[in-house]
Amino acid sequence: MNNKQKTSLFQLIGVLVFLGVVLLLDQVISPTSSLSMLLTVLQKGSVYALAAVSMNLLNGFTGLFSLGHAGFMLIGAYTYAIFSIPFDQRKVVYQYFEPAINISFPEVFGNAMGPVGTALGVALCVILAGLVAVVFAYLIGLPVLKFKSDYLAIATLGFAEIIRAIFQWQKLGPVTNGSNLLKGFARVSTFNLKLGGITLSLSTFVPVLIATICIWIIVLVKNSTYGRAFVAIRDDEIAAEAMGINLSKHKMLSFCISSFFAGIAGAMMAMVLSIAQASNFKSAMTYEILLMVVLGGIGSISGSVIGAILFISASEWWLRGLDSGKWLGIVAPGIFRNGFRLVVFSVIIMIVVMFFRKGIMGDKEISVAFFKEKFASLKRKKKKEVAK
């Protein structure tokens, strides 16, 4: 077994152990437990980790500065919700409109095949969410991918805002429910497996599993010939074109792949939040995802995952007490007040950026070689200290 095979085996074992731990936590942590926020962090963290990695594929590996991620996530969330709302609930959800789409894939497959069919229907809705996002990405990519740098960012940002406005347009109410939210579809709290008299909770395991599979596919894309072509375009477009790389084709491919996984992240967001509403997918969401990418390291998939988990953990859990007047046993209602955690969080981000100019991981990935290199550098530092 060569080094590459050993590395792949260690990574696979690490992923399986992580999934096993998540499944165990799903069973032992109850909703009323003090550690219940850990499950929330894992759920939201998996959504944002996939969103950050998909953005990094476009911004970090291909060098296309896009700010339309929230728009593609919105499309994915609505697609998932529209095609998974049960038929008997559509009249309640679309209370002000006559629903134009009256099919629920989880319900259709579930009636035919039972729980397995319901799971297949949910999987189909998730994949469909990504495919619909790809269609929109292809259409918007035809004109905007001719732009570069800031112009591309502005164009994609404008697309995201236009999509959000269109989905809230009352005339599209029979499809999108206008400015009203969509609900009643399959969500993470419904992903439970009954084995005899035991109920196996999968509310956290399912989104983490989906994110893991999608990120693994992105890793395969990155290591393929297409991924190397993306990196070549990022480094030098003229040299890449001289080597025979079709710039427009590969840019469009990167844009569509990134949008596909952003659509899936949007579907996961709908699962986690139990609702789909356009007002949740503002441009601020894109900036947050971009911040996760920068914190983790532009050009590092591992860094994007780490950045997303740290961002969600700090903003949703660790610093939450700063808004309630109590934090780490310190009671100071005169200082700690609503919104104070955002101030502290901003300061923390500034400190991290100051000390990690290229992000936490830079352009490196977590691997056996990475830990060996870190261990070797520590040994060299100790030797130098002893020599002094």
Side-chain angles (χ1 to χ4, degrees), residues 25 33 68 82 86 99 106 140 156 158 165 172-173 203 213 230 257 261 323 337 369 376:
L25 292 175
S33 170
I82 290 169
I140 192 65
T156 51
L172 279 180
S203 59
I213 293 172
F230 296 158
I257 293 174
F261 290 109
D323 286 354
R337 59 186 67 188

Side-chain angles (χ1 to χ4, degrees), residues 161-170 172 176:
E161 290 300 306
I162 291 170
I163 284 293
R164 187 163 62 88
I166 289 176
F167 271 63
Q168 295 180 93
W169 189 24
Q170 291 300 100
L172 279 180
T176 64

Side-chain angles (χ1 to χ4, degrees), residues 70-222:
F72 296 117
M73 291 178 68
L74 182 153
I75 293 169
Y78 268 76
T79 301
Y80 173 80
I82 290 169
F83 287 99
S84 61
I85 298 175
F87 180 77
D88 59 351
Q89 294 190 36
R90 287 186 181 268
K91 288 288 185 181
V92 177
V93 175
Y94 290 87
Q95 55 183 325
Y96 302 111
F97 306 97
E98 184 65 30
I101 299 175
N102 289 300
I103 184 171
S104 170
F105 290 119
E107 188 175 40
V108 170
F109 284 92
N111 291 336
M113 303 170 62
V116 175
T118 301
L120 289 175
V122 170
L124 179 60
C125 289
V126 171
I127 295 172
L128 188 61
L131 293 176
V132 173
V134 168
V135 172
F136 278 85
Y138 180 79
L139 294 176
I140 192 65
L142 290 175
V144 305
L145 288 181
K146 297 176 182 178
F147 303 138
K148 293 183 180 180
S149 189
D150 300 342
Y151 299 102
L152 176 61
I154 293 170
T156 51
L157 179 61
F159 154 75
E161 290 300 306
I162 291 170
I163 284 293
R164 187 163 62 88
I166 289 176
F167 271 63
Q168 295 180 93
W169 189 24
Q170 291 300 100
K171 290 189 176 181
L172 279 180
V175 178
T176 64
N177 206 21
S179 59
N180 306 302
L181 57 83
L182 294 174
K183 58 183 180 179
F185 48 81
R187 52 196 186 277
V188 292
S189 59
T190 62
F191 295 139
N192 296 325
L193 186 63
K194 292 185 178 179
L195 300 172
I198 302 174
T199 300
L200 193 65
S201 176
L202 302 175
S203 59
T204 304
F205 179 75
V206 168
V208 171
L209 178 63
I210 294 173
T212 301
I213 293 172
C214 292
I215 292 172
W216 174 69
I217 295 173
I218 293 174
V219 171
L220 294 180
V221 172
K222 175 201 168 187

